[in-house]
Amino acid sequence: MSNTVNPEKLKNAPVASSCFMGLGQILYLKQYIRGALFALVEVVMLCCIIFGTKKIIPANNKENSYLNSIPSVEEMVDFLSEADYKKLDKVLDKRAVAVEKFFKNVAVKEFANFRYQEELLDDVEPLRHEDKEAYREALAEAKSNRIDLIAELKETFAEFDYTDFSDIESALDEIIDDDVLTEKFEKTIGKYDSQLAKAMARISPEEFDENYDGCSLCKRAHKHGRRTTVHRAWFRGPIVTSLAGLITLGDKQNTTVTKYMDHSIFMMINGIFALIIIAFFVFLYILNINSAKDAVKKIIKIGHFQTMKEAKNDISQNSFATIGIAPSIVMIAIFSVIPLLFSALVAFTNYSSPEHIPPNNLVDWVGLQNFVTMFSTRVGGGEWAKTFGWTAIWTIVWAIFATFTCFFVGFFYAFVLQDKRVVIPSFFRTVYILPYAIPTMLSLFVWANLLNGTVGPINRTLQIIGLIDQPIPWLSDPWVAKGALIFVNIWIGFPYSMILTTSSMTAISNSLYEAAVIDGATKWQQFKSITYPLVMFQLKPTLIMQFAGNINNFGAVFFLTGGGPNMPQPGLTTVTNCGATDLLISWIYKLTMNTPSRYNLASVLSLLVFVVLVPFALYNYTRTKSFKEGEV
């Protein structure tokens, strides 16, 4: 092939590549490797869009029947005979020949082998290691029985008239115990029975499809005589079908078989997956055109087309990073982006139990109705809006207190233990780290028992020493329970902050403190001007992440209070299933796991937390000095 460069022709390469992807690069730029890859992607995508099949939906479990109430072979033959169907005798003769061949050859050998294997397993094999002589005799007898059975079956099957349907049924009774042979028999006669069904459907589609419960697309095909379990549906490939399913979330089917029912949730996931695939295709499409433009400039510059060796070197050098990172991007799209989009889309549906749990009941799009239910005081008695308001405020209060109390208590202990006057500081550090070393779940269970209002050791001890007369409702009063939750969180969380702060303080140069002492700075001035700024410089991003984590701190609430006690306002907990100490995250858990399940409202809350929390965390993190390349 000529290697002469024609600049005018090369200008058409990006246009050709935009229409035929890799084919344009192959024809105009002679980029065989890259062009073949792009062309393969385009062909696969087009096939997924254009081609596809849609199964007929049976209304019962008889999957060996093509349709409900399908006429028997005898009924179809009688009908076609009365209708003077010209090919009837030809089809019946071929059917009889095929059935006779099946019984006299396939059925005889396979059924005899089936019985022979049974005899081997039951009578012969047990003797293999017990009595060699008996084993040989039993084996010889089994072989002899097989030969006799073959002869007997041949004689039996030779007596039947395979043009007679009753004789065929009698022959079938001889092998009815063998499921494999029965299935093969169904396949043998299937194509001939299908021809009879198609002929009957063409002559009288109304009578043939009288009780059929399939889809409308299948019904239209059957009216034209196409009587099959599946049929080709143009432009109904997996991509188009998935997108259509995402829009409709399924249709009610006249069937009781679960696997043939539309499942709204699976259809939504498939639709999201199809959108991800289309996004990748669009990205590759744009990349293809840009690469064609760059290749044109390069070819014109060097004055010749790339050789195969040069093309391989170019791909290995310039595309290595893209190829290396591509699997990670695909995995992120599948395991991160799809779940996030699914969770967000559920907020715009009525996905909840018991009325809208697929496949028995489909899920529908409801727009912003769930947001109105959650945030409007005019819906019902405004219980959801009131509960959301109380829970959102408590979540923010909890996140602030849980973050800053743990951080500054840990900061305090780290600063104190840095003092030279503290004896054996390592011992105290070990003691203070113990609450963090013990699994959080166990610590919370222990505290739940300690704070028990009736038999808890704390209340019993305070009563014994006379400090209180009545037990303190640590976990049964809404306000006291919130205070107890914050206190227990300090106990569990401050060691982590102490460790971080200690590591940051040890990294501060002693020369700074020595210079401050020479200048006459007090301990407070040293802390204010040296320790605190430098520690916060390093730990402020961690503090922001801790705040974001505490908003979603499910374990502390779930294992200590379980979200209880009930809301102070009567009826809120009963309607919304949200307790006084529940955070948004624990409320989401209750909405999805308790009965009735309200996945749609839980998704609204999840979407809100994501939309508010992520921008907040990113904004504050990017404004920290440590993020700005060490700017102090």
Side-chain angles (χ1 to χ4, degrees), residues 76-331:
M76 288 191 292
V77 170
D78 292 341
F79 178 88
L80 294 174
S81 178
E82 293 179 3
D84 293 329
Y85 179 54
K86 296 180 180 180
K87 296 183 179 179
L88 177 60
D89 292 336
K90 184 177 180 181
V91 173
L92 291 178
D93 290 341
K94 288 183 178 179
R95 185 181 189 276
V97 170
V99 171
E100 184 176 6
K101 183 178 180 181
F102 171 82
F103 279 107
K104 290 184 177 181
N105 296 309
V106 179
V108 166
K109 293 180 181 178
E110 293 202 13
F111 190 71
N113 290 336
F114 170 70
R115 289 297 175 85
Y116 174 67
Q117 293 297 330
E118 278 189 338
E119 188 174 357
L120 287 179
L121 291 174
D122 296 339
D123 301 330
V124 179
E125 284 300 322
L127 300 174
R128 177 187 287 271
H129 303 291
E130 298 177 3
D131 189 340
K132 295 291 186 181
E133 185 65 27
Y135 170 73
R136 285 193 290 270
E137 293 178 359
L139 184 61
E141 183 179 356
K143 291 180 179 179
S144 177
N145 291 339
R146 176 176 174 273
I147 295 173
D148 293 341
L149 180 60
I150 290 176
E152 180 182 347
L153 289 173
K154 284 185 177 180
E155 184 178 349
T156 300
F157 290 141
E159 297 176 353
F160 294 117
D161 180 7
Y162 294 101
T163 60
D164 189 330
F165 295 114
S166 61
D167 276 12
I168 295 176
E169 290 294 330
S170 300
L172 188 61
D173 290 339
E174 298 289 333
I175 60 168
I176 199 67
D177 293 336
D178 193 332
D179 295 335
V180 176
L181 270 179
T182 304
E183 184 177 348
K184 287 185 177 181
F185 174 75
E186 295 292 342
K187 290 182 178 179
T188 300
I189 65 172
K191 59 181 180 180
Y192 302 106
D193 293 351
S194 179
Q195 290 181 25
L196 298 176
K198 289 179 180 179
M200 185 173 177
R202 284 194 295 269
I203 297 171
S204 180
E206 293 79 9
E207 180 177 347
F208 195 68
D209 291 335
E210 181 180 0
N211 298 314
Y212 177 55
D213 292 328
C215 67
S216 57
L217 187 62
C218 296
K219 285 181 177 178
R220 288 198 299 270
H222 298 153
K223 287 182 179 179
H224 294 87
R226 293 191 292 274
R227 189 71 166 176
T228 58
T229 52
V230 293
H231 64 264
R232 181 70 61 182
W234 293 96
F235 291 100
R236 288 293 296 270
I239 298 294
V240 176
T241 303
S242 298
L243 293 178
L246 179 63
I247 295 172
T248 63
L249 295 184
D251 299 315
K252 190 67 177 178
Q253 304 290 347
N254 294 324
T255 178
T256 58
V257 185
T258 302
K259 70 176 183 178
Y260 290 110
M261 294 179 180
D262 284 346
H263 197 296
S264 301
I265 300 305
F266 293 161
M267 296 176 79
M268 184 185 296
I269 295 173
N270 290 338
I272 296 172
F273 188 65
L275 289 177
I276 297 294
I277 293 176
I278 292 173
F280 276 123
F281 179 77
V282 171
F283 171 76
L284 290 175
Y285 188 86
I286 296 172
L287 180 66
N288 167 62
I289 297 173
N290 291 334
S291 68
K293 292 179 180 179
D294 295 337
V296 168
K297 296 177 182 177
K298 186 174 181 179
I299 291 171
I300 292 176
K301 182 178 180 180
I302 63 178
H304 65 85
F305 291 100
Q306 284 184 328
T307 63
M308 185 64 72
K309 183 177 181 180
E310 290 174 337
K312 290 181 180 179
N313 292 335
D314 182 57
I315 292 175
S316 62
Q317 293 178 10
N318 298 327
S319 302
F320 177 78
T322 303
I323 296 172
I325 203 173
S328 300
I329 298 298
V330 173
M331 298 295 283

Side-chain angles (χ1 to χ4, degrees), residues 329-629:
I329 298 298
V330 173
M331 298 295 283
I332 290 173
I334 294 175
F335 295 107
S336 295
V337 176
I338 291 179
L340 285 174
L341 291 177
F342 172 74
S343 300
L345 290 179
V346 169
F348 301 92
T349 69
N350 57 5
Y351 184 29
S352 59
S353 69
E355 295 87 359
H356 300 284
I357 297 296
N360 292 327
N361 298 296
L362 295 173
V363 175
D364 303 310
W365 294 109
V366 295
L368 299 177
Q369 179 180 323
N370 296 320
F371 293 86
V372 174
T373 301
M374 181 61 69
F375 304 127
S376 176
T377 58
R378 299 179 180 179
V379 177
E383 291 91 351
W384 290 98
K386 293 176 183 177
T387 303
F388 171 77
W390 280 102
T391 307
I393 293 172
W394 161 236
T395 301
I396 300 299
V397 171
W398 154 261
I400 293 172
F401 275 91
T403 302
F404 290 100
T405 53
C406 288
F407 182 80
F408 286 108
V409 169
F411 200 143
F412 170 77
Y413 279 102
F415 180 73
V416 170
L417 293 176
Q418 285 291 105
D419 197 301
K420 301 296 183 182
R421 292 170 293 181
V422 176
V423 181
I424 52 173
S426 58
F427 169 77
F428 288 102
R429 288 195 186 98
T430 303
V431 172
Y432 293 149
I433 289 172
L434 284 177
Y436 182 71
I438 299 173
T440 304
M441 183 181 67
L442 296 180
S443 296
L444 290 169
F445 280 144
V446 171
W447 273 106
N449 289 313
L450 291 175
L451 296 173
N452 187 284
T454 305
V455 295
I458 294 178
N459 275 343
R460 295 290 296 274
T461 302
L462 293 176
Q463 285 178 314
I464 290 172
I465 63 179
L467 292 179
I468 60 174
D469 295 326
Q470 298 296 325
I472 300 174
W474 295 110
L475 303 178
S476 57
D477 180 87
W479 302 106
V480 178
K482 291 178 180 179
L485 191 60
I486 293 173
F487 171 77
V488 172
N489 187 72
I490 294 174
W491 162 267
I492 294 173
F494 89 88
Y496 176 71
S497 297
M498 185 186 73
I499 296 170
L500 290 179
T501 308
T502 301
S503 63
S504 297
M505 291 172 64
T506 54
I508 300 175
S509 175
N510 287 329
S511 61
L512 296 176
Y513 293 104
E514 293 171 358
V517 171
I518 294 173
D519 292 339
T522 63
K523 286 288 185 182
W524 168 249
Q525 290 173 328
Q526 293 176 31
F527 172 80
K528 184 179 67 173
S529 302
I530 300 175
T531 306
Y532 181 77
L534 292 178
V535 169
M536 292 304 295
F537 165 73
Q538 297 182 29
L539 297 185
K540 189 175 288 186
T542 304
L543 191 63
I544 295 171
M545 293 299 104
Q546 284 183 351
F547 179 83
N550 279 318
I551 287 181
N552 292 321
N553 192 343
F554 172 79
V557 173
F558 184 77
F559 292 114
L560 184 62
T561 66
N566 289 345
M567 285 277 189
Q569 293 77 9
L572 292 188
T573 300
T574 304
V575 174
T576 64
N577 209 8
C578 181
T581 58
D582 267 320
L583 305 178
L584 290 174
I585 185 66
S586 61
W587 189 20
I588 291 170
Y589 173 82
K590 287 184 176 180
L591 288 174
T592 56
M593 299 303 295
N594 293 355
T595 303
S597 301
R598 303 179 184 274
Y599 303 104
N600 49 347
L601 297 178
S603 181
V604 171
L605 295 176
S606 301
L607 187 61
L608 177 70
V609 171
F610 178 82
V611 169
V612 172
L613 188 59
V614 171
F616 167 81
L618 291 176
Y619 174 76
N620 286 279
Y621 178 72
T622 55
R623 290 176 62 85
T624 59
K625 292 183 179 181
S626 56
F627 179 80
K628 299 176 181 179
E629 299 182 354

